[in-house]
Coordinates of all heavy atoms in Angstrom, one line a residue:
E806 N 87.8 225.8 35.3 CA 87.0 226.3 34.2 C 87.6 225.8 32.8 O 86.8 225.4 31.9 CB 87.1 227.9 34.2 CG 86.4 228.5 35.4 CD 86.6 230.0 35.4 OE1 87.3 230.5 34.6 OE2 86.0 230.6 36.3
L807 N 88.9 225.7 32.7 CA 89.5 225.2 31.5 C 89.1 223.7 31.3 O 88.8 223.2 30.2 CB 91.0 225.3 31.5 CG 91.5 226.7 31.4 CD1 93.1 226.8 31.6 CD2 91.2 227.3 30.1
R808 N 89.1 223.0 32.4 CA 88.6 221.6 32.3 C 87.2 221.4 31.9 O 86.8 220.6 31.0 CB 88.8 220.9 33.7 CG 90.2 220.6 34.1 CD 90.3 219.9 35.5 NE 91.6 219.6 35.8 CZ 92.0 219.1 37.1 NH1 91.0 219.0 38.0 NH2 93.2 218.9 37.3
V809 N 86.3 222.3 32.4 CA 84.9 222.3 32.0 C 84.8 222.6 30.5 O 84.1 222.0 29.7 CB 84.1 223.2 32.8 CG1 82.7 223.4 32.3 CG2 84.1 222.8 34.3
K810 N 85.5 223.6 30.1 CA 85.5 224.0 28.6 C 86.0 222.9 27.8 O 85.4 222.5 26.7 CB 86.3 225.3 28.5 CG 85.7 226.5 29.0 CD 86.5 227.8 28.8 CE 85.8 229.0 29.4 NZ 86.7 230.2 29.2
L811 N 87.2 222.3 28.2 CA 87.7 221.1 27.5 C 86.8 220.0 27.4 O 86.7 219.4 26.4 CB 89.0 220.7 28.1 CG 89.9 219.6 27.4 CD1 90.2 220.1 26.0 CD2 91.1 219.3 28.2
Q812 N 86.1 219.7 28.6 CA 85.1 218.7 28.5 C 84.0 218.9 27.6 O 83.5 218.0 26.9 CB 84.6 218.4 30.0 CG 83.8 217.2 30.1 CD 83.4 216.9 31.5 OE1 83.8 217.7 32.4 NE2 82.8 215.9 31.9
E813 N 83.5 220.2 27.7 CA 82.5 220.6 26.7 C 82.8 220.3 25.3 O 82.1 219.9 24.4 CB 82.0 222.0 27.0 CG 81.3 222.2 28.4 CD 80.9 223.7 28.6 OE1 81.4 224.5 27.8 OE2 80.3 223.9 29.6
M814 N 84.1 220.8 25.0 CA 84.6 220.7 23.6 C 84.7 219.2 23.2 O 84.3 218.8 22.1 CB 85.9 221.4 23.4 CG 85.9 222.9 23.6 SD 87.4 223.7 23.5 CE 87.9 223.2 21.8
Y815 N 85.2 218.4 24.2 CA 85.3 216.9 23.9 C 83.9 216.3 23.7 O 83.7 215.5 22.8 CB 86.0 216.3 25.1 CG 86.2 214.8 24.9 CD1 87.1 214.3 24.0 CD2 85.4 213.9 25.7 CE1 87.2 212.9 23.9 CE2 85.6 212.5 25.6 CZ 86.5 212.1 24.6 OH 86.6 210.7 24.5
Q816 N 82.9 216.8 24.6 CA 81.6 216.2 24.4 C 81.0 216.7 23.0 O 80.3 215.9 22.4 CB 80.7 216.7 25.5 CG 81.0 216.1 26.9 CD 80.2 216.6 28.0 OE1 79.4 217.5 27.8 NE2 80.4 216.1 29.2
L817 N 81.3 217.9 22.7 CA 80.8 218.4 21.4 C 81.4 217.6 20.3 O 80.7 217.2 19.3 CB 81.1 219.9 21.2 CG 80.6 220.6 19.9 CD1 79.1 220.6 19.8 CD2 81.1 222.0 19.9
H818 N 82.7 217.3 20.4 CA 83.4 216.5 19.4 C 82.8 215.1 19.3 O 82.4 214.6 18.2 CB 84.8 216.4 19.7 CG 85.6 215.6 18.7 ND1 85.8 215.8 17.4 CD2 86.2 214.3 18.9 CE1 86.6 214.9 16.8 NE2 86.8 213.9 17.7
E819 N 82.6 214.6 20.4 CA 81.9 213.2 20.5 C 80.5 213.2 20.0 O 80.2 212.3 19.1 CB 81.9 212.7 21.9 CG 83.3 212.2 22.4 CD 83.2 211.6 23.8 OE1 82.1 211.7 24.4 OE2 84.2 211.0 24.3
S820 N 79.8 214.2 20.3 CA 78.4 214.3 19.8 C 78.4 214.4 18.3 O 77.6 213.8 17.6 CB 77.7 215.5 20.4 OG 78.3 216.7 20.1
T821 N 79.4 215.2 17.7 CA 79.4 215.4 16.3 C 79.8 214.1 15.6 O 79.2 213.7 14.6 CB 80.5 216.5 16.0 OG1 80.2 217.7 16.6 CG2 80.6 216.7 14.5
V822 N 80.8 213.4 16.2 CA 81.2 212.1 15.7 C 80.0 211.1 15.7 O 79.7 210.4 14.8 CB 82.4 211.6 16.4 CG1 82.7 210.1 15.9 CG2 83.6 212.4 16.2
N823 N 79.3 211.1 16.8 CA 78.1 210.2 17.0 C 77.1 210.5 16.0 O 76.4 209.7 15.4 CB 77.6 210.3 18.4 CG 78.6 209.8 19.4 OD1 79.4 208.9 19.1 ND2 78.5 210.3 20.7
E824 N 76.8 211.9 15.8 CA 75.8 212.3 14.8 C 76.2 211.8 13.4 O 75.4 211.4 12.6 CB 75.6 213.8 14.9 CG 74.9 214.3 16.1 CD 74.7 215.8 16.1 OE1 75.2 216.4 15.2 OE2 74.2 216.3 17.1

Side-chain angles (χ1 to χ4, degrees):
E806 292 177 358
L807 290 175
R808 285 179 179 173
V809 171
K810 292 180 180 178
L811 183 60
Q812 189 174 2
E813 291 176 354
M814 293 177 66
Y815 179 71
Q816 292 177 355
L817 181 61
H818 176 70
E819 286 186 348
S820 62
T821 305
V822 173
N823 293 332
E824 289 178 359

